[in-house]
Amino acid sequence: MITNRSRRAVPAPAAAPCRITVCRGCCCGDPRKVPGVDHAGQIARLRAAVGDAARVRASECLDVCEQANVVVVQPSAAGRAAGGRPVWLGLVNDDDALADIAEWVRSGGPGVAEPPGVLDLYAFTASRRVGKGLEE
């Protein structure tokens, strides 16, 4: 028999922040494909801009090379609970786009905050096959 005294309080898991995946495969991050962009610095600037609001990671090719440079913003635990889904952004080749992404993520990201309207210009739908590559 389980009594109230025998129950243990289970600590709540830490809230999982948003995750940002930056493609750095065959085309994304390649100065021959996208010249004039500091590709390595792009990741460092994004990490600094989002702070603790997200984890930023580089990925091998996400197989949407025509959209280079590709950034995928995955919702936080709260965002997933609110129905947020990963958002794929392509042609992210300037610091203004990075700043808009960082501002959105700091505000909560997918499922929690509306993205700045300008990010609609970068958003695209990845195929189901490609999208499955980022599922947890």
Side-chain angles (χ1 to χ4, degrees), residues 44-94:
R45 287 189 303 280
L46 188 55
R47 282 183 177 139
V50 298
D52 293 335
R55 287 180 276 154
V56 179
R57 63 183 177 173
S59 171
E60 291 298 321
C61 184
L62 294 175
D63 202 21
V64 283
C65 300
E66 68 279 1
Q67 297 287 336
N69 288 333
V70 174
V71 173
V72 183
V73 181
Q74 294 176 280
S76 64
R80 282 190 299 279
R85 309 297 323 145
V87 175
W88 290 68
L89 303 165
L91 307 174
V92 180
N93 298 317
D94 61 67

Side-chain angles (χ1 to χ4, degrees), residues 24 34-50 69 71 91-104 106 116 118-119 122:
R24 284 297 178 257
V34 186
V37 175
D38 176 11
H39 297 282
Q42 196 178 42
I43 292 174
R45 287 189 303 280
L46 188 55
R47 282 183 177 139
V50 298
N69 288 333
V71 173
L91 307 174
V92 180
N93 298 317
D94 61 67
D95 285 343
D96 290 340
L98 291 179
D100 289 331
I101 293 166
E103 175 186 334
W104 176 41
R106 286 191 314 268
V118 70
L119 289 184
Y122 297 92

Side-chain angles (χ1 to χ4, degrees), residues 103-135:
E103 175 186 334
W104 176 41
V105 168
R106 286 191 314 268
S107 296
V112 175
E114 286 295 318
V118 70
L119 289 184
D120 289 345
L121 299 173
Y122 297 92
F124 69 95
T125 302
S127 72
R128 186 176 300 167
R129 178 187 57 79
V130 169
K132 287 216 176 264
L134 282 183
E135 288 183 1

